[in-house]
């Protein structure tokens, strides 16, 4: 491609050029009727033929209505504050603090990339009964946007995000186990995050909140466990981002974790998943989260939140949570029905196909994922930025861990002879980083670990779970159980497949 650069003299004659350009603009400001550039004003709706109705855009109207609702809600809250709404979350996203417990940690919490947090809150909920020996505890780690409400409680009887798996006779049997779930550090459902009040200023942290890591989330959880007097977990269980936390917990505190369950997760975020989350957070030419004018550099807590950008970011994420085969089965190429029976439907520029309306509004109440219209008013946009960034940064290869100065709380035992897996044999063509990953995972060499992958998962493909199993076996861990699940639900299989996911967890814990 030929590139033309201005000469040095051209930079010295900018003023005459500007004057000429201004003169040219003025000469064309009001073109005559004979001008070749005669521009007519854009036609208004009232200039359309009487037989043609004006165009309508319901999706734009819905956006305007949503913004109006937020303004009215903010006005009513400023006039009559809700006594149950005290807490760190912004008003538009706040659950009732009475439905969860809160532990306030008064000591500084070390962080991976920043100075320690001077203090923090951790929101949590529990199910079952703690044994006298305190040895029946299972810590459930959440995905990116989940709250501590993993299952229904007396305080909050609404179904939780893992309702099918927690309770009497279920995979995490509360007749036997004492189950704990926290809202992660950086979240917005009771735990300290960007929407929390910064002690030094008395205002929300916003983007003054420090960048956090998956390891920081686990440190905060262990501060809670110490407060509860729990020395060792029976199991650390997590799915998606929770699977990262479950591995990190076993790695950081190998003597305090009995078993690890990792479902649809990874030990090293892949470039493709990093790229997808980057697209959710920002977009140079697209109207995503950080490009939403309401985001205001993260300082929007006294104004309208970036609900449009957050909604679009969540829609992108939802596409990766489910699979193509499921879309075909559930929606196909169906479009919305015509308003008049028997009348041919005219396509519109707003959501037209059923798959579009699914993403634009909400999923089936039976599935309860917070997407689209629901999610954009319940979750804090800054929490999405910080928590998703923590996922991107997660890398358990030895060079990465050494660079961060991370080490387990107890010395790592020497490796034993590598074990040959029964379910998935070592790869014929291992990835170049596999030896470094195995070296990094050495503190987990003696921990029983269950790994579940889903063949239709496009967010965390099964190659990542196979890689994790291979690396763990290379450490000499002979107690690695790896299974691949079929089905059409994609990444969200861990929420839906009670029979296979629940059965595998139940058998492993027994």
């Amino acid at each position: 491609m030929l590139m033309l650069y201005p000469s040095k003299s051209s930079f010295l004659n900018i003023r005459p050029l500007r004057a000429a350009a201004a003169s040219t603009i003025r000469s064309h400001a009001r073109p005559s009727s004979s001008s070749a550039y005669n521009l007519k004003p854009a036609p208004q709706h009232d200039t359309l033929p009487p037989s043609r109705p004006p165009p309508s855009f319901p999706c734009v109207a819905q956006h305007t209505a949503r913004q109006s609702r937020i303004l009215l809600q903010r006005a009513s809250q400023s006039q009559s504050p809700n006594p149950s709404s005290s807490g760190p979350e912004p008003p538009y996203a706040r659950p009732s603090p009475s439905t969860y417990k809160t532990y306030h940690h008064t000591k500084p919490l070390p962080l991976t990339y920043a100075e320690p947090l001077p203090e923090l809150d951790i929101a949590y909920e529990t199910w079952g009964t703690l044994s006298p020996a305190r040895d029946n505890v299972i810590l459930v780690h959440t995905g990116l946007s989940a709250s501590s409400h993993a299952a229904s409680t007396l305080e909050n009887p609404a179904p939780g995000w893992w309702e099918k798996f927690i309770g009497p006779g279920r995979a995490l049997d509360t007749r036997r186990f004492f189950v704990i779930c926290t809202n992660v550090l950086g979240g917005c459902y009771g735990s300290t995050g960007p929407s929390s009040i910064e002690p030094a200023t008395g205002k929300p942290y916003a983007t003054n909140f420090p960048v956090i890591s998956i390891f920081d989330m686990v440190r905060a959880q262990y501060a809670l466990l110490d407060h509860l007097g729990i020395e060792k977990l029976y199991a650390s269980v997590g799915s998606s981002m929770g699977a990262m936390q479950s591995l990190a917990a076993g790695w950081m505190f190998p003597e305090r974790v009995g078993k690890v369950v990792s479902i649809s997760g990874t030990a090293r975020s892949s470039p493709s998943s990093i790229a997808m989350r980057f697209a959710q957070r920002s977009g140079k030419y697209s109207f995503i989260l950080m490009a939403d004018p309401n985001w205001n550099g993260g300082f929007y807590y006294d104004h309208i939140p970036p609900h449009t950008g957050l909604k679009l970011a969540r829609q992108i994420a939802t596409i990766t949570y489910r699979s193509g085969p499921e879309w075909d089965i559930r929606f196909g190429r169906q479009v919305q029905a015509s308003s008049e029976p028997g009348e041919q439907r005219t396509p519109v520029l707003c959501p037209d196909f059923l798959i579009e309306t699914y993403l634009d509004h909400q999923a089936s109440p039976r599935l309860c994922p917070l997407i689209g219209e629901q999610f954009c008013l319940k979750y804090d946009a800054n929490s999405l930025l910080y928590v998703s960034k923590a996922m991107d940064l997660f890398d358990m290869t030895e060079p990465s861990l050494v660079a961060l100065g991370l080490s387990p709380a107890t010395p790592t035992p020497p490796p034993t002879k590598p074990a040959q897996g029964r379910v998935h044999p070592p790869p014929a063509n291992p990835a170049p980083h596999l030896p470094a990953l195995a070296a990094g995972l050495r503190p987990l060499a003696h921990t029983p670990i269950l790994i579940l992958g889903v063949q239709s998962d496009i967010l965390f493909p099964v190659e990542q779970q196979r890689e994790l199993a291979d690396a763990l076996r290379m450490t000499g861990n002979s107690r690695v159980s790896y299974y691949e699940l079929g089905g059409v639900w994609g990444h969200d299989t861990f929420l839906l497949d009670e029979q296979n996911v629940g059965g595998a967890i139940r058998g492993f814990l027994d």
Side-chain angles (χ1 to χ4, degrees), residues 69-195:
R69 288 196 301 271
I70 296 173
L71 288 171
L72 290 173
Q73 185 181 33
R74 291 192 61 83
S76 63
Q77 287 168 343
S78 63
Q79 295 171 4
S80 56
N82 181 358
S84 70
S85 66
S86 61
E89 303 83 8
Y92 56 85
R94 188 174 310 190
S96 172
S98 63
T99 66
Y100 55 77
K101 303 178 182 70
T102 303
Y103 164 60
H104 182 66
H105 189 66
T106 58
K107 299 178 181 179
L109 182 80
L111 299 178
T112 305
Y113 299 102
E115 294 297 317
L117 273 177
E119 58 185 70
L120 70 146
D121 290 330
I122 292 294
Y124 69 100
E125 296 179 47
T126 64
W127 301 263
T129 303
L130 183 62
S131 66
R134 299 176 181 264
D135 59 357
N136 66 333
V137 180
I138 292 180
L139 180 60
V140 173
H141 307 273
T142 73
L144 186 152
S145 58
S147 70
S148 60
H149 193 61
S152 54
T153 61
L154 291 177
E155 296 81 5
N156 185 357
W161 58 267
W162 228 26
E163 186 77 20
K164 297 180 179 181
F165 300 87
I166 299 174
R170 295 176 178 170
L172 304 186
D173 193 339
T174 51
R175 299 170 305 185
R176 178 184 176 191
F177 299 114
F178 182 66
V179 181
I180 303 174
C181 182
T182 78
N183 180 221
V184 297
L185 178 68
C188 59
Y189 292 127
S191 294
T192 295
S195 59

Side-chain angles (χ1 to χ4, degrees), residues 98-435:
S98 63
T99 66
Y100 55 77
K101 303 178 182 70
T102 303
Y103 164 60
H104 182 66
H105 189 66
T106 58
K107 299 178 181 179
L109 182 80
L111 299 178
T112 305
Y113 299 102
E115 294 297 317
L117 273 177
E119 58 185 70
L120 70 146
D121 290 330
I122 292 294
Y124 69 100
E125 296 179 47
T126 64
W127 301 263
T129 303
L130 183 62
S131 66
R134 299 176 181 264
D135 59 357
N136 66 333
V137 180
I138 292 180
L139 180 60
V140 173
H141 307 273
T142 73
L144 186 152
S145 58
S147 70
S148 60
H149 193 61
S152 54
T153 61
L154 291 177
E155 296 81 5
N156 185 357
W161 58 267
W162 228 26
E163 186 77 20
K164 297 180 179 181
F165 300 87
I166 299 174
R170 295 176 178 170
L172 304 186
D173 193 339
T174 51
R175 299 170 305 185
R176 178 184 176 191
F177 299 114
F178 182 66
V179 181
I180 303 174
C181 182
T182 78
N183 180 221
V184 297
L185 178 68
C188 59
Y189 292 127
S191 294
T192 295
S195 59
S196 302
I197 300 300
E198 183 178 8
T201 65
K203 297 180 179 180
Y205 278 99
T207 45
N208 286 330
F209 194 71
V211 173
I212 56 175
S213 71
I214 298 293
F215 300 100
D216 299 333
M217 297 176 184
V218 173
R219 285 194 192 96
Q221 292 167 340
Y222 267 79
L224 169 64
L225 295 179
D226 291 340
H227 167 71
L228 297 176
I230 297 169
E231 179 61 28
K232 184 172 182 177
L233 295 174
Y234 184 88
S236 172
V237 178
S239 307
S240 189
M241 186 187 80
M244 297 178 175
Q245 296 170 65
S246 66
L247 284 174
W251 185 91
M252 296 175 71
F253 304 97
E255 299 300 318
R256 298 184 65 179
V257 177
K259 297 183 178 183
V260 168
V261 176
S262 172
I263 308 169
S264 295
T266 183
R268 176 181 178 271
S269 279
S270 67
S272 60
S273 63
I274 294 172
M276 185 59 67
R277 285 188 290 270
F278 171 77
Q280 296 174 48
R281 290 193 298 265
S282 63
K284 187 174 181 182
Y285 302 107
S286 57
F287 194 58
I288 315 296
L289 183 50
M290 295 174 74
D292 188 326
N294 289 336
W295 185 61
N296 191 35
F299 293 85
Y300 52 78
Y301 294 105
D302 293 331
H303 307 283
I304 297 176
H307 56 93
T308 299
L310 186 57
K311 177 179 178 180
L312 293 176
R314 185 63 172 184
Q315 289 174 347
I316 294 175
T318 301
I319 294 171
T320 68
Y321 294 158
R322 310 304 276 267
S323 72
E326 187 198 6
W327 298 142
D328 290 335
I329 294 170
R330 292 185 62 188
F331 305 110
R333 288 183 49 83
Q334 297 182 72
V335 296
Q336 298 185 72
S338 174
S339 57
E340 297 294 333
E343 180 180 312
Q344 183 178 2
R345 189 178 187 282
T346 302
V348 295
L349 297 179
C350 284
D352 205 13
F353 290 89
L354 293 188
I355 181 62
E356 294 176 312
T357 60
Y358 170 81
L359 293 173
D360 189 57
H361 294 286
Q362 60 185 17
S364 165
R366 179 179 64 85
L367 305 181
C368 294
L370 299 173
I371 67 170
E373 196 76 38
Q374 292 187 40
F375 184 80
C376 70
L377 299 181
K378 292 185 177 181
Y379 194 69
D380 181 39
N382 282 337
S383 282
L384 177 64
L385 297 177
Y386 278 86
V387 177
S388 66
K389 187 66 177 182
M391 296 176 69
D392 292 349
L393 295 169
F394 190 60
D395 183 355
M396 297 193 72
T397 57
E398 187 176 51
S400 175
L401 297 169
V402 170
L404 294 175
L406 295 172
S407 60
T410 55
T412 303
T416 58
K417 181 180 179 181
Q420 298 296 317
R422 297 179 181 178
V423 179
H424 181 68
N429 300 301
H433 60 265
L434 188 60

Side-chain angles (χ1 to χ4, degrees), residues 323 325-326 329 454-457 484-490 493 497 500:
S323 72
E326 187 198 6
I329 294 170
V454 178
Q455 293 173 349
S456 56
D457 191 343
E484 285 183 10
L485 305 179
V488 299
W489 295 302
T493 295
D497 193 348
N500 292 303

